[in-house]
Structures are given as structure tokens and as C-alpha cells.
Amino acid sequence: MKAIYYDQPGSPDVLQVVNSEIPVPNDNQILIKVMAAGVNRPDVIQRQGNYPPPENHSPILGLEVSGYIEKIGKNVKNFSLNNKVAALVNGGGYAEFCLAEQESTFKIPGDLSFNEAACIPECYFTAWSNLVQRGRLTKNQKVLIHGGTSGIGIAAIQIAKIFNSYIITTVGNEEKAKFCKNLGVNEVINYKKQDFFEIIKKSDVKNVNLILDYVGGEYILKNINLLDTEGTLVNIGFLEGSTAQINLMKIMLKRLQITGSTLRIRSNKFKGQVLSELKKFVFPLLVERKIMCFVDSVFKFDDVIKAHERIDEGKHIGKIILNP
Ligand SMILES: NC(=O)c1ccc[n+]([C@@H]2O[C@H](COP(=O)([O-])OP(=O)(O)OC[C@H]3O[C@@H](n4cnc5c(N)ncnc54)[C@H](OP(=O)(O)O)[C@@H]3O)[C@@H](O)[C@H]2O)c1
């Protein structure tokens, strides 16, 4: 099969299409004939050599796929050959065939296309588990979501809307600001022109109950200072660095929670629990298209370098998709 591989980490041009063995599913796994694979920021960080795959995970990039079931292990229940599915996978997505665990595989909701379905797993598992499970999001809270047009940001905004949240987001240009406004965000701040901390503090909103952040760096203290009493900061990445000098007094006095998580290393059982909540609360809205999958661009495997140049450039809105 064709798969995308690299010998040495580096810039997008290290990526190359190679021939590789078709993987063989164990008794609990599903082999998917890939029709679409999502490109995510963690793939970029892995390509750069800063996010090595955990032990026993495929060294091939790609954390989510959609396609047809090609083979199933003998203990797999509720799926049959040729089912149209999507899956959160432990690497190996940038390939014509990919192994998936049954716990994190699902039938494609409604009439979503393969490209749309490949937008779902990584971002919705991550956004749901961090906003709702770690962040304990409840109805009518004020929520700050940094980087609103990223795959994660768009998923998080649409999940927060289910909870009737007052949503604030940060973006890097006016086109992205307009997109987020159209998505129903209450306040969009162009962080390149304005300081999000100052804007929120001076507005009627003043503070927020929950923050989802993957920027870190100088955002860490600003985030903590923006949290209301009993507020929660959830970090799922640190694009600008993960260290800060923090006065824990504020955390004690405001009874704050500072938390975070990474999805890839979590157990199949955990991923299965997240999927069961997504099926209940998110998939019906995907079927009705009240929650949308926004495909920024689609690239053939042979153009994988262009796909990674696009994500590196950061101008995308929504998801970049690869087709074998
Ligand atoms: N912990 C986990 O389990 C987990 C899982 C998946 C992803 N993640 C993390 O989540 C993040 C998003 O992933 P993704 O695949 O959705 O990324 P993505 O689509 O590539 O989006 C990243 C976006 O971040 C924005 N950004 C950069 N610097 C910013 C800043 N200072 N303030 C606000 N926004 C900024 C950029 O948009 P602008 O033009 O607006 O700057 C960029 O487009 C990554 O850091 C990734 O590692 C974590």
C-alpha cells in the first residue's frame, strides 16, 4: 500500500510517499480502507521530531481516518465489512489502509462525506473530553476558546454552543474573525491587534468560567487572571511554551482548577467512553447539520508536502484533508 513516511524529522519536504506492508488487524481491531485522513497540528509536531509516537503506535503520521471496513478481527462487534466508518487512530492514518480499535471507530453519522467524517475524530474527542469532562462545562457559562478557527477551536466552539455558553475566541486575522462570528461566537478578538486580556477585563464580561488553550507562553498568566471564582483552565498544547511563574495564592483564593490532557496516550476504554458521549450529544447534531464539519482544503497523497505547508502557514480555516 501507499503510505506517507519520513526518514528524518524536519520541514514538510521530508514527507514522501512510499510502499509499505498492509497492516494486519488483531482480534479486536478493524482494518480501514482509507478514503480520507485528517491533518492535525500534532502531525506537524511529530514531523518536526518533537512528538514521537508512543510505544506500539504506528510511526506513520495520521491520527484520524474515514473509509470502508476492509477486514475485522474476530472479537469486533457491531461492525461488518464495507461499513462506512471513521476512527480515531494511534497513528498510521496517512496510508491506504489503517488499523483502528473498535472502541474508537464509529459508523459515519448521517450523510456526511468521507472528507467531512475525517474532520471529526481527533478534534471532537479532544474538545469534548477537555471541555466537558475535564472542564466540567455546564449550561450558560462564559467560555474562552483560544485559536477559534483551528480544527480544535471550531469543534470546541460548536460543543460550547450545545451548552448555551457565552463564547469568546481569539483569532489571527479578520477573515478568521468573520468566520467565527458566523459560527455564533459572541466576541471575537484579533490577538494580533488587541490584547485579549485587556479587552475582556474592560468589557462587561470581565472574567470567564472556563478557558481552553493550546497557546501557553504569556497566555498562561493572563488566562489565570481572567478566570472567575471556581474557574478552570484546560491546556491541551503549548505552541508558545509551557513554563510560567505562577502565584499560587490566586489559585487558592479563587479556588481555580488548572488541568490539561493529551488524547493519544489514553486507553481504548477511555476513548470508548468519550465516543459514547459524542454519539449521544454531538452526532445527532452532525446528522441535522446543526454542527458542521468545515473542510479547508483537500490534497492527494502525492501533494502531502503542500498539505503540510498549508498547515505550517496557519492560514487555514477548519480542517486540511488528505485523500489517498
Ligand atoms: N492535547 C491533546 O490531546 C490535543 C489533541 C489535538 C490537538 N491538540 C493541540 O491543539 C492545538 C490545535 O490543533 P489543530 O490541529 O486544531 O491546529 P490547527 O488547525 O493547525 O490550528 C492552529 C491555529 O493556532 C492558531 N494560533 C497560533 N498562535 C496563536 C495564538 N498566539 N493565539 C491564538 N491562536 C493562535 C493559528 O491561527 P491564527 O491565525 O488565528 O493564529 C493556527 O491556525 C495544537 O496545539 C495541538 O497540538 C492537542
Side-chain angles (χ1 to χ4, degrees):
M1 68 170 185
K2 275 205 257 176
I4 290 160
Y5 210 76
Y6 58 93
D7 290 327
Q8 291 296 325
S11 54
D13 55 12
V14 299
L15 299 172
Q16 47 182 306
V17 181
V18 298
N19 275 319
S20 179
E21 292 292 311
I22 296 177
V24 179
N26 67 25
D27 289 349
N28 300 308
Q29 289 177 320
I30 295 168
L31 182 69
I32 299 175
K33 179 176 166 47
V34 176
M35 303 304 288
V39 176
N40 292 284
R41 181 70 42 175
D43 306 345
V44 172
I45 303 170
Q46 186 174 334
R47 185 204 75 215
Q48 292 168 335
N50 299 322
Y51 187 42
E55 215 177 319
N56 302 324
H57 287 201
S58 170
I60 296 171
L61 295 177
L63 299 171
E64 61 189 350
V65 296
S66 63
Y68 295 101
I69 292 188
E70 178 79 10
K71 278 188 188 165
I72 29 182
K74 68 175 194 293
N75 298 337
V76 173
K77 296 185 180 71
N78 305 321
F79 291 102
S80 1
L81 293 181
N82 292 322
N83 279 169
K84 289 164 85 172
V85 292
L88 177 74
V89 296
N90 291 333
Y94 292 14
E96 283 181 302
F97 294 92
C98 177
L99 289 180
E101 305 296 329
Q102 59 177 329
E103 292 89 342
S104 45
T105 302
F106 55 89
K107 291 183 187 142
I108 293 178
D111 63 357
L112 265 63
S113 67
F114 284 118
N115 286 342
E116 288 175 310
C119 299
I120 299 171
E122 179 69 9
C123 291
Y124 279 89
F125 278 71
T126 301
W128 184 272
S129 59
N130 285 289
L131 282 179
V132 182
Q133 298 179 343
R134 302 211 74 71
R136 294 164 302 149
L137 178 62
T138 52
K139 286 239 165 202
N140 303 318
Q141 289 186 312
K142 294 179 281 182
V143 181
L144 170 61
I145 294 163
H146 285 295
T149 58
S150 61
I152 293 285
I154 292 174
I157 288 167
Q158 296 191 92
I159 287 170
K161 281 172 67 180
I162 303 176
F163 291 81
N164 198 35
S165 310
Y166 184 90
I167 306 168
I168 306 170
T169 196
T170 51
V171 295
N173 67 35
E174 292 312 311
E175 188 196 354
K176 292 182 175 187
K178 199 169 158 198
F179 174 88
C180 288
K181 274 277 173 201
N182 288 337
L183 201 55
V185 172
N186 301 85
E187 259 186 75
V188 186
I189 301 165
N190 181 340
Y191 71 88
K192 288 188 179 155
K193 288 190 173 161
Q194 292 170 305
D195 183 322
F196 73 89
F197 176 80
E198 296 295 332
I199 295 283
I200 296 170
K201 275 288 173 208
K202 284 180 188 157
S203 72
D204 292 340
V205 177
K206 294 204 172 16
N207 48 44
V208 296
N209 306 107
L210 175 59
I211 302 176
L212 183 68
D213 183 33
Y214 55 78
V215 178
E218 65 166 30
Y219 283 24
I220 297 172
L221 282 184
K222 290 180 179 181
N223 287 336
I224 290 170
N225 288 328
L226 272 180
L227 284 175
D228 200 353
T229 307
E230 305 272 0
T232 304
L233 168 62
V234 187
N235 261 101
I236 57 163
F238 293 100
L239 291 177
E240 300 288 337
S242 57
T243 55
Q245 197 170 356
I246 299 171
N247 181 349
L248 293 178
M249 186 69 76
K250 283 178 187 156
I251 294 162
M252 180 178 80
L253 294 177
K254 292 203 279 180
R255 301 187 295 282
L256 305 181
Q257 310 263 5
I258 299 182
T259 182
S261 72
T262 54
L263 178 64
R264 191 172 183 176
I265 51 163
R266 303 302 294 274
S267 67
N268 294 336
K269 187 176 169 209
F270 170 81
K271 290 171 185 171
Q273 285 163 351
V274 178
L275 179 56
S276 66
E277 292 184 23
L278 289 175
K279 282 181 178 170
K280 194 166 167 195
F281 298 106
V282 172
F283 286 14
L285 299 171
L286 281 164
V287 171
E288 289 180 61
R289 295 198 175 264
K290 289 184 176 159
I291 285 184
M292 301 282 287
C293 299
F294 293 93
V295 176
D296 169 83
S297 43
V298 181
F299 294 89
K300 297 250 175 264
F301 268 18
D302 289 338
D303 291 325
V304 64
I305 293 175
K306 287 185 189 153
H308 269 238
E309 284 170 348
R310 173 113 188 118
I311 193 165
D312 273 6
E313 200 181 23
K315 287 191 179 152
H316 61 290
I317 294 179
K319 299 279 298 199
I320 298 166
I321 299 292
L322 285 171
N323 287 171

